[in-house]
Amino acid sequence: SDLQKQVERGELLQPLIFVLLVLCSVLLYFKVSLMDPGFVKPEEEVKEGENKGQGVVIPQIPGDIKLRRCGYCLVKQPMRAKHCQLCQHCVRRYDHHCPWLENCVGERNHPLFIVYLSVQLVVLLWGGHVAWSGLYFEQSWEWLQHNIFLLVSFLLMFIFTIVVLLLLVSHLYLISCNTTTWEFMSHHRISYLRHSELENPFDQGIILNLWRFFC
């Protein structure tokens, strides 16, 4: 049959991989949006140096800066935690609240968020390539009528690709510096950064920063 011949020639391999990537992207979306981003539980006791990834750099932070109690949920906030008023929880290593996910990006789901962006970028680039390969430009109204949806889909994929690419690059840069979006944007308002002798007391070098984040 024709289907068997296509399988033998490997013509169905690329569409199959593309469908699997789309499925993987959807599963990652639900995983990141539904999982606990690192909520600080009320019953947890915050101890000095509990964050293993920061043990080397905590001594560089002034000793007079004490862990404070959140004014909203009344839990003792660990270093780098922040209260999210949309989620109504304090989140460990808070990065930002993502409106597309309707969830915070924090200590637990930040690595998966990066994986999700990476897979999404591959899907968009692949889909954009397929849409572009199907365009054969002709200067006629009839051609435009037949290809209007293809042109719109290509334009949307181009816009989303730029957005996802910028998000991924910016997050990878911040991760390589061992800082978060919240710390980067609000450096002047965060006590442990404002009173620190170093501009970023958590930076341990690009390689170690990436290793600690992903591994």
Side-chain angles (χ1 to χ4, degrees):
S1 63
D2 293 338
L3 181 60
Q4 185 176 0
K5 292 179 180 178
Q6 287 180 328
V7 172
E8 291 175 354
R9 292 195 298 265
E11 294 178 359
L12 297 181
L13 182 61
Q14 288 190 1
L16 178 61
I17 295 175
F18 181 77
V19 171
L20 290 176
L21 280 174
V22 173
L23 179 61
C24 180
S25 174
V26 173
L27 292 176
L28 282 170
Y29 172 84
F30 284 108
K31 176 67 175 177
V32 177
S33 63
L34 296 176
M35 74 181 295
D36 178 354
F39 294 134
V40 181
K41 305 295 172 38
E43 65 272 11
E44 292 178 354
E45 292 184 2
V46 180
K47 300 178 181 179
E48 289 185 10
E50 67 168 342
N51 194 328
K52 298 179 182 179
Q54 300 168 8
V56 178
V57 294
I58 284 180
Q60 299 172 345
I61 300 173
D64 58 342
I65 298 178
K66 298 179 180 179
L67 299 178
R68 68 185 185 91
R69 192 169 292 278
C70 176
Y72 295 97
C73 54
L74 303 179
V75 298
K76 230 175 184 181
Q77 287 184 335
M79 187 75 72
R80 311 185 80 178
K82 182 184 180 297
H83 183 87
C84 176
Q85 296 190 26
L86 294 173
C87 293
Q88 298 183 349
H89 283 285
C90 285
V91 180
R92 294 177 180 273
R93 202 183 181 277
Y94 175 86
D95 189 87
H96 71 285
H97 183 92
C98 181
W100 299 102
L101 298 172
E102 280 297 326
N103 193 14
C104 283
V105 175
E107 184 178 73
R108 295 189 61 188
N109 65 349
H110 200 171
L112 272 181
F113 178 71
I114 298 300
V115 175
Y116 165 70
L117 287 179
S118 302
V119 174
Q120 192 67 42
L121 181 62
V122 173
V123 170
L124 286 168
L125 288 173
W126 197 336
H129 171 72
V130 173
W132 180 259
S133 64
L135 287 175
Y136 299 96
F137 293 100
E138 294 181 9
Q139 295 182 351
S140 66
W141 176 249
E142 183 179 355
W143 177 89
L144 184 60
Q145 285 182 315
H146 284 88
N147 292 274
I148 185 65
F149 290 110
L150 187 60
L151 289 170
V152 171
S153 65
F154 178 77
L155 179 62
L156 289 175
M157 280 187 286
F158 177 77
I159 294 173
F160 287 132
T161 299
I162 296 300
V163 172
V164 173
L165 179 61
L166 291 176
L167 270 174
L168 182 59
V169 170
S170 62
H171 274 277
L172 289 176
Y173 169 74
L174 293 175
I175 292 167
S176 68
C177 299
N178 197 2
T179 189
T180 63
T181 302
W182 172 58
E183 291 172 340
F184 181 78
M185 300 294 292
S186 306
H187 188 280
H188 60 288
R189 294 194 290 122
I190 302 173
S191 58
Y192 60 81
L193 294 179
R194 189 173 67 249
H195 297 105
S196 174
E197 296 178 359
L198 301 176
E199 184 177 353
N200 179 13
F202 303 109
D203 187 7
Q204 296 178 285
I206 295 177
I207 296 178
L208 190 55
N209 291 339
L210 292 173
W211 174 264
R212 286 185 181 276
F213 182 85
F214 287 107
C215 305

